[in-house]
């Protein structure tokens, strides 16, 4: 299991009664004051966890936050600290956090951010979706001094996941293919990959297409997809993140794609790129992802 990574070694000042929580990171140990710390969060899934636990968010990448975090977006006490790939260092300083939570998109700014507060990398383990999610909730709960609330949230999530899997059992006896469409081409994702949710959580069998879970992408042609002819195809249009246009159906739904059983049987399902590409593996987004997959199949 991939651990949350402590990227700097910093001990924060606090009241004498404040609990000290220490983690063994992959690069360093670090301690933070666990008594109601102020948190600046760039990772969206971690933002969901902090919010669900009632943590004190003082800064967030507001423009990237989902509808589920509308309360954070609307809160004027929470500063907008920049985009996912371009943190506003001055705004982060202004927020005055005790802890900064990031993921891979912000790693290039670690040196600057670590001058402000301890930095915690909450990047998920893409090969082990559920264990990684529960681990993140537990670790962040300890940072916030909310261990009991964290355990309760994990148990609630496990119940929701069990319900999702029960619903998926009505459909997951046939193979499925997860696709991202970007720059005019299809990219496939197998189980234990970044977008392996349909297999890893919902239990849909993989197709026979050879794909590398560790690869950034597995390019596929529409002819390859037709030859494999999966029963279900799930796709999101990555280019939608760059504007407000709807999915380019004419480019995605080629003549070959329209010949697949998935398409002909109403099992060709569009997914939200914001939910799947920007967020993923969050306490709010995980049920939302399952709903997007299963609802069109009812």
């Amino acid at each position: 299991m991939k651990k949350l990574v402590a990227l700097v070694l910093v001990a924060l000042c606090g009241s004498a009664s404040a609990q000290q929580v220490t983690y063994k990171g992959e690069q360093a140990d670090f301690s933070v004051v666990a008594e109601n710390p102020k948190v600046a969060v760039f990772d969206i899934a971690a933002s969901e966890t902090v919010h669900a636990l009632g943590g004190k968010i003082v800064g967030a990448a507001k423009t990237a936050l989902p509808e589920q975090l509308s309360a954070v977006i609307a809160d004027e006490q929470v500063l907008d600290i920049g985009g996912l790939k371009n943190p506003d260092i001055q705004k982060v300083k202004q927020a005055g956090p005790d802890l900064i939570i990031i993921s891979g998109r912000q790693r290039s700014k670690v040196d600057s951010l670590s001058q402000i507060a301890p930095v915690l990398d909450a990047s998920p383990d893409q090969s082990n979706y559920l264990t990684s999610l529960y681990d993140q909730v537990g670790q962040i709960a300890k940072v916030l001094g909310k261990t009991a609330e964290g355990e309760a949230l994990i148990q609630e999530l496990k119940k929701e996941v069990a319900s999702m899997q029960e619903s998926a059992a009505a459909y997951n006896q046939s193979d499925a293919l997860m696709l991202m469409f970007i720059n005019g081409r299809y990219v496939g994702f197998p189980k234990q990959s970044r977008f392996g949710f349909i297999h890893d959580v919902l239990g849909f069998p993989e197709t026979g297409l050879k794909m590398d879970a560790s690869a950034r992408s597995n390019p596929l042609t529409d002819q390859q997809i037709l030859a494999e002819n999966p029963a279900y195809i799930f796709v999101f249009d990555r280019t939608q993140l760059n504007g407000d246009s709807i999915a380019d159906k004419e480019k995605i739904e080629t003549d070959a794609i329209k010949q697949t059983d998935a398409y002909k049987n109403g099992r060709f399902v569009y997914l939200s790129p914001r939910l799947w590409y920007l967020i993923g593996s969050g306490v709010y987004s995980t049920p939302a992802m399952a709903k997007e997959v299963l609802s069109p199949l009812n």
Side-chain angles (χ1 to χ4, degrees):
M1 176 181 11
K2 187 179 187 296
K3 299 177 182 177
L4 295 177
V5 184
L7 294 172
V8 292
L9 176 56
V10 180
L12 296 178
C13 297
S15 66
S17 62
Q19 178 188 1
Q20 293 288 325
V21 181
T22 302
Y23 299 97
K24 179 67 176 178
E26 293 179 357
Q27 297 183 27
D29 295 338
F30 82 114
S31 297
V32 298
V33 176
E35 187 174 345
N36 197 29
K38 296 177 293 182
V39 186
V41 195
F42 284 100
D43 180 69
I44 304 176
S47 299
E48 293 185 1
T49 297
V50 176
H51 181 263
L53 291 171
K56 188 174 182 180
I57 299 177
V58 294
K62 286 191 170 185
T63 57
L65 294 182
E67 181 181 351
Q68 298 95 311
L69 292 173
S70 58
V72 176
I73 298 171
D75 189 343
E76 295 181 357
Q77 299 301 311
V78 179
L79 294 186
D80 186 347
I81 54 177
L84 296 179
K85 289 189 176 182
N86 56 330
D88 187 328
I89 302 302
Q90 293 305 314
K91 284 289 187 180
V92 178
K93 287 181 180 179
Q94 186 179 340
D98 298 318
L99 178 71
I100 302 168
I101 303 179
I102 69 165
S103 56
R105 293 184 177 100
Q106 299 86 43
R107 284 184 191 145
S108 64
K109 301 295 185 180
V110 163
D111 288 345
S112 297
L113 293 171
S114 63
Q115 299 302 310
I116 302 170
V119 175
L120 191 67
D121 187 338
S123 300
D125 178 358
Q126 295 168 353
S127 68
N128 204 337
Y129 185 102
L130 290 175
T131 299
S132 179
L133 172 60
Y134 301 146
D135 182 59
Q136 184 212 64
V137 172
Q139 295 278 18
I140 291 177
K142 290 179 182 178
V143 170
L144 300 179
K146 295 177 178 288
T147 304
E149 293 91 334
E151 182 57 34
L153 181 56
I154 290 171
Q155 294 308 314
E156 181 182 339
L157 278 169
K158 287 183 176 180
K159 289 180 182 179
E160 287 194 80
V161 168
S163 178
M164 296 174 209
Q165 292 171 335
E166 183 178 356
S167 297
Y171 310 102
N172 65 8
Q173 303 307 305
S174 301
D175 63 350
L177 178 62
M178 180 69 195
L179 294 174
M180 175 172 70
F181 187 77
I182 182 170
N183 297 329
R185 64 185 182 126
Y186 307 97
V187 177
F189 290 90
K191 65 181 180 180
Q192 296 186 318
S193 68
R194 180 177 179 184
F195 305 112
F197 182 90
I198 61 171
H199 309 299
D200 302 329
V201 178
L202 298 181
F204 284 87
E206 291 185 283
T207 68
L209 291 166
K210 293 183 178 180
M211 293 184 283
D212 182 358
S214 63
R216 289 183 60 87
S217 65
N218 293 276
L220 298 171
T221 66
D222 57 357
Q223 293 299 326
Q224 286 177 297
I225 296 169
L226 175 58
E228 188 60 31
N229 198 22
Y232 299 90
I233 297 176
F234 301 98
V235 60
F236 68 88
D237 185 357
R238 167 66 179 82
T239 57
Q240 281 186 276
L241 291 176
N242 299 325
D244 297 324
S245 61
I246 62 173
D248 193 340
K249 291 187 176 183
E250 289 187 2
K251 292 182 179 179
I252 296 174
E253 298 177 11
T254 65
D255 289 341
I257 291 296
K258 289 179 179 179
Q259 294 178 54
T260 63
D261 288 344
Y263 190 92
K264 290 187 291 185
N265 295 329
R267 298 297 188 247
F268 187 88
V269 178
Y270 282 98
L271 305 172
S272 163
R274 177 172 288 272
L275 179 61
W276 289 74
Y277 187 83
L278 286 184
I279 314 174
S281 67
V283 297
Y284 301 144
S285 56
T286 294
M289 290 164 68
K291 183 177 180 180
E292 275 205 345
V293 169
L294 299 175
S295 291
L297 306 181
N298 293 333

